[in-house]
């Protein structure tokens, strides 16, 4: 998570939102000892992801929770996307990928459409 994705839970006093997972929060301002279950990463999130991918015997997936600024930085390391769409026009908001202009191709693996108009689409990065 970036600090922006971690913040909504933190504002309600929740410092360990995904207790079943190893959790990393990318932030240069968050206190490093916010929670024993959370590792605060002050810089180089790309380095963190490459290190996790290299971990010997690590066959677990790495889940990028968000938000858009962190996703923009991590785009070169993203192998799969799960995007939910809602039938709402907001007009403005937080970009899903807040980075430099760099069109990156993905292929649709599967899409689930729900009766209330929401879709969930799984994509794989085109190599
Ligand atoms: N719909 C969903 O599934 C979903 C999921 C997650 C988040 N969200 C929403 O997305 C919003 C947050 O997104 P966001 O783009 O504003 O924030 P974000 O990427 O989560 O966090 C931005 C903050 O995290 C740190 N950070 C992130 N990337 C960094 C990088 N590359 N290098 C250094 N520091 C970095 C910085 O904190 P410091 O200033 O402390 O250094 C920065 O201010 C929230 O509204 C949240 O609710 C939605």
């Amino acid at each position: 998570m970036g600090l922006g994705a971690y913040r909504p839970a933190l504002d309600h006093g929740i410092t360990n939102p995904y207790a079943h997972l190893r959790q990393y929060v990318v932030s240069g301002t968050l206190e490093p000892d916010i929670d024993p279950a959370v590792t605060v990463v002050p810089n180089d999130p790309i380095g963190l992801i490459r290190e996790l991918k290299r971990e010997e015997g690590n066959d677990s997936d790495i889940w990028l929770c968000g938000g858009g600024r962190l996703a923009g930085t991590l785009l070169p390391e993203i192998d799969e996307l799960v995007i939910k769409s809602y039938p709402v026009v907001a007009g403005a908001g937080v970009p899903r990928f807040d980075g430099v202009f760099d069109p990156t191709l993905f292929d649709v693996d599967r899409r689930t459409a729900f009766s209330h108009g929401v879709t969930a689409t799984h994509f794989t990065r085109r190599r």
Side-chain angles (χ1 to χ4, degrees):
M1 291 165 271
L3 181 61
Y6 186 58
R7 175 71 67 198
L10 193 58
D11 286 346
H12 290 278
I14 299 164
T15 56
N16 183 10
Y18 299 106
H20 58 301
L21 300 174
R22 281 166 68 181
Q23 298 163 86
Y24 298 86
V25 177
V26 176
S27 169
T29 60
L30 189 66
E31 53 265 48
D33 56 354
I34 188 79
D35 190 290
V38 168
T39 303
V40 177
V41 179
N43 50 43
D44 193 17
I46 285 269
L48 167 71
I49 298 305
R50 290 184 179 152
E51 192 184 308
L52 290 174
K53 285 182 171 180
R54 272 197 306 269
E55 267 186 14
E56 216 174 319
N58 184 1
D59 57 0
S60 306
D61 287 334
I62 303 165
W63 180 262
L64 167 62
C65 181
R69 183 170 156 202
L70 183 59
T73 298
L74 293 183
L75 183 56
E77 290 296 326
I78 293 179
D79 307 305
E80 297 176 15
L81 295 171
V82 183
I83 303 285
K84 294 170 284 176
S85 296
Y86 296 81
V88 176
V89 175
V94 178
R96 280 176 174 163
F97 293 88
D98 193 3
V100 296
F101 181 76
D102 182 19
T104 304
L105 297 178
F106 286 80
D107 293 312
V108 173
D109 284 336
R110 62 185 189 279
R111 177 173 289 134
T112 307
F114 298 92
S115 57
H116 49 311
V118 174
T119 59
T121 307
H122 293 241
F123 300 85
T124 302
R125 187 190 199 93
R126 191 176 295 178
R127 297 289 177 191

